[in-house]
Amino acid sequence: MSEAQITDWLASQRQAMIDLLRDVVNIDSGSYDKEGVDAVGARFERHFAEHGIPFRRESHGTFGDAIHAEVAKPGSNEKPVLLMGHRDTVFGKGEAGRRPFTIRDGRAYGPGVADMKSGVVMNMFVATAFHKFGGSPHPIKVLITSDEEIGSPSSRPVIEREGRAARAVFNSEPGRPTGNVVTGRKGGIFMHLAITGKAAHSGANFAAGVSAIGELAHKIVQIHALTNLDKGITLNVGLVSGGQSVNTTAPYAEGQIDLRYVDPADRATVMAAIEKIVATSYVPGTSATLTIKGEFVPVVQSEASKALFEGYQAAARQVGLTTLQGEFSGGCADSGFTAAVGTPTICGLGPVGGLAHTPEEYLEIDSIVPRAQALALAILKGSAHVP
């Protein structure tokens, strides 16, 4: 096996990668749509089966199943390199029908095309190349998860378990619009705030009512005031609802809170402040509860992760990605879970794209092959530097 065999084969698979990407983008797979997420998984499993790569499903009753595949010499007990990615999207049923996979002016469009179905496709073809030609100094494990966009409630324990068992983790979230990869990320917590008040006719019996919406408004102001841009701490109440009718004091209201932070030590401080706000009744007679619905931990670059990145950077230069750098992202990802368990991790290795989570989400088609080649060469060279 030569490096050229791997990189030349990946170049020859450009259209095959696009075809597989088209198939999976055209299947709705919102995080809560288990049927759709598993349908995307079945299409990926078909690829593994066609190429003779062993795979298995780790089932889950509520969210999509986790898919595992491995390229390894029989009997190998070496720690694998873990290629990671999620196949769920933020889009609801019918979005793929409204916006099917299309290519215009060198860019591909469609729900999840960049975030991150293209990265999963890339991982699969890199693993397939090593299955076909051999040459990897370590076993390669592919993990395809199902619920990253909502904080990986079912996948987190799977990711942490596989991360601990790996020697290095490459998470193929989309490459930055700059062409860079991601070496640091914020942590994030998604929370649900529920408030109970008391209904009363707002004209005939106003004084008997207790407005949950009024209480929510006070709490939102206080929660947003915890934002500290200098420290990278942001609070956003992004969804609100409540009330019974326009002429009734609201017996119920709810809000969904997004917290982002950089320094792991800030988590406890900010959460304590939020909990104090939740426990305080600004409108007498209301009560409130706070529930954490999902959580990501930050990606903090360790010395081993820095070495892994430098190996990847050298591999990228070899295929013409000469300006590639590491970049910090305010977004969260599953890579935080593997970094937090101590495994060298880099993220944002997928094909280059942008405007994720919007109808304008795009993928740079010409980035697919060189990013796949860079990952393959990093496996051959970069991961070997990690103890």
Side-chain angles (χ1 to χ4, degrees):
M1 193 286 305
S2 67
E3 290 179 5
Q5 279 182 300
I6 295 279
T7 55
D8 289 351
W9 184 80
L10 287 169
S12 77
Q13 297 302 299
R14 181 181 189 273
Q15 190 59 49
M17 286 191 264
I18 293 171
D19 291 343
L20 177 55
L21 181 59
R22 176 183 292 108
D23 286 352
V24 294
V25 167
N26 285 340
I27 301 172
D28 286 319
S29 59
S31 306
Y32 294 101
D33 178 9
K34 176 174 170 60
E35 182 182 5
V37 173
D38 283 341
V40 173
R43 179 63 187 91
F44 286 145
E45 288 172 330
R46 196 174 103 202
H47 172 93
F48 290 132
E50 288 169 350
H51 291 275
I53 297 172
F55 66 89
R56 66 179 176 88
R57 278 198 181 205
E58 186 171 353
S59 62
H60 194 274
T62 303
F63 300 104
D65 301 336
I67 297 172
H68 304 259
E70 191 163 24
V71 174
K73 295 173 185 173
S76 173
N77 60 359
E78 262 197 283
K79 280 190 166 187
V81 171
L82 181 62
L83 308 185
M84 203 161 70
H86 68 88
R87 65 192 191 275
D88 61 311
T89 75
V90 299
F91 301 103
K93 280 278 195 186
E95 191 73 11
R98 287 188 291 272
R99 294 193 297 112
F101 181 91
T102 56
I103 297 175
R104 298 191 305 273
D105 301 323
R107 287 181 168 181
Y109 298 87
V113 67
D115 187 15
M116 64 171 288
K117 290 179 176 179
S118 59
V120 176
V121 168
M122 184 192 78
N123 285 352
M124 293 170 62
F125 273 82
V126 168
T128 303
F130 283 108
H131 178 72
K132 185 176 178 67
F133 296 105
S136 174
H138 314 290
I140 297 171
K141 179 76 183 285
V142 179
L143 174 62
I144 307 173
T145 59
S146 62
D147 54 358
E148 189 266 358
E149 296 293 2
I150 55 172
S152 296
S154 74
S155 300
R156 179 174 180 171
V158 178
I159 292 164
E160 290 175 337
R161 183 189 73 221
E162 298 299 326
R164 288 188 185 97
R167 62 184 294 109
V169 176
F170 297 100
N171 193 37
S172 295
E173 286 278 356
R176 303 295 91 182
T178 57
N180 291 339
V181 301
V182 176
T183 49
R185 286 187 181 273
K186 284 188 177 183
I189 306 178
F190 309 132
M191 292 164 274
H192 179 262
L193 173 61
I195 299 171
T196 301
K198 183 181 177 183
H201 192 291
S202 60
N205 202 22
F206 181 85
V210 178
S211 175
I213 288 177
E215 178 69 12
L216 177 62
H218 282 286
K219 288 188 186 325
I220 289 171
V221 171
Q222 296 297 318
I223 288 168
H224 280 181
L226 298 175
T227 292
N228 183 333
L229 294 177
D230 290 339
K231 296 195 72 176
I233 298 169
T234 59
L235 278 299
N236 180 60
V237 180
L239 288 170
V240 296
S241 63
Q244 178 178 305
S245 70
V246 69
N247 58 346
T248 306
T249 54
Y252 177 80
E254 63 181 342
Q256 296 193 38
I257 307 165
D258 177 300
L259 161 64
R260 303 292 170 113
Y261 63 96
V262 177
D263 185 343
D266 287 332
R267 182 197 184 282
T269 304
V270 178
M271 285 302 297
I274 293 172
E275 287 162 5
K276 184 177 179 181
I277 292 166
V278 172
T280 302
S281 291
Y282 300 89
V283 176
T286 57
S287 61
T289 59
L290 183 72
T291 305
I292 293 176
K293 305 296 287 184
E295 180 166 3
F296 289 105
V297 296
V299 176
V300 179
Q301 189 180 51
S302 65
E303 284 303 311
S305 292
K306 184 179 179 183
L308 185 67
F309 164 68
E310 289 170 350
Y312 176 86
Q313 192 178 38
R317 284 196 294 267
Q318 197 172 326
V319 295
L321 303 178
T322 55
T323 61
L324 182 144
Q325 301 291 325
E327 195 172 296
F328 184 85
S329 172
C332 302
D334 287 332
S335 47
F337 299 134
T338 59
V341 299
T343 306
T345 298
I346 49 176
C347 192
L349 306 180
V352 173
L355 302 179
H357 297 194
T358 75
E360 292 76 39
E361 178 182 4
Y362 69 88
L363 176 77
E364 301 285 1
I365 285 287
D366 286 344
S367 71
I368 294 176
V369 168
R371 301 289 279 209
Q373 292 171 325
L375 176 57
L377 292 177
I379 293 168
L380 281 169
K381 298 181 173 188
S383 64
H385 300 317
V386 179

